[in-house]
Amino acid sequence: MKSNRAHEKTVSKRYSALIRALILAVIAALVYFIGRRTGVFQEIPKISLNGKAVVRGVLILLVMFATEGLLLFLLSLPKPKSNRACTMISLAKNILRYAVILAAICVALTIFNVDIVTILAGLGILALIIGFGAESLIADIVT
């Protein structure tokens, strides 16, 4: 009985992920067709790719993800007994993952000659807003 329910949950998760992907694909297609019809994409400057930059970016991404894998492995080695230590390790893993993903996005954007300074400034402001909103949660974690 339990295995049947677990199987149903797994199947429903797969279907929800598929539905989510289909919805995102439809939205992307709509944005593309609306952009083509209105001429919005004509205002975007042409992207120039340089072979050296692409190879360098791919190598940087590989090193970043390999380092992330190593650090996540090292963080999973200790088996803490207290809930607080488990929470801190989990928090460190999540921060590491998000930092690597953000850095990978920045590297990918710089390959396409996109100026990321404004994006980083916006992310800094967003981080401040989230930090002030989660101040009590952070205080509970620290104390």
Side-chain angles (χ1 to χ4, degrees):
M1 200 63 145
K2 286 183 181 180
S3 64
N4 190 21
R5 286 184 184 162
H7 177 70
E8 289 175 3
K9 276 183 149 181
T10 304
V11 170
S12 69
K13 283 183 182 179
R14 287 182 188 162
Y15 284 130
S16 67
L18 179 64
I19 290 170
R20 198 174 313 131
L22 287 174
I23 290 171
L24 288 174
V26 167
I27 291 172
L30 285 173
V31 167
Y32 174 75
F33 289 123
I34 290 171
R36 291 276 306 213
R37 170 104 41 207
T38 60
V40 171
F41 294 139
Q42 292 173 354
E43 298 174 12
I44 299 173
K46 298 281 186 217
I47 297 173
S48 62
L49 283 179
N50 176 334
K52 281 184 176 179
V54 172
V55 171
R56 187 176 24 173
V58 168
L59 287 175
I60 290 171
L61 291 175
L62 287 173
V63 169
M64 285 171 42
F65 286 116
T67 305
E68 177 201 18
L70 177 66
L71 291 175
L72 288 175
F73 173 73
L74 291 175
L75 283 173
S76 67
L77 286 179
K79 303 294 182 203
K81 299 199 183 338
S82 70
N83 287 337
R84 180 176 291 195
C86 288
T87 302
M88 295 306 283
I89 289 175
S90 175
L91 185 66
K93 285 181 181 180
N94 286 330
I95 289 172
L96 177 66
R97 281 189 189 115
Y98 288 120
V100 168
I101 289 171
L102 178 65
I105 290 171
C106 289
V107 167
L109 288 175
T110 55
I111 289 173
F112 293 113
N113 295 326
V114 175
D115 186 23
I116 61 169
V117 174
T118 55
I119 296 171
L120 291 176
L123 286 174
I125 293 170
L126 182 65
L128 280 173
I129 292 169
I130 291 172
F132 284 130
E135 185 177 357
S136 62
L137 177 66
I138 294 169
D140 288 343
I141 289 174
V142 171
T143 58

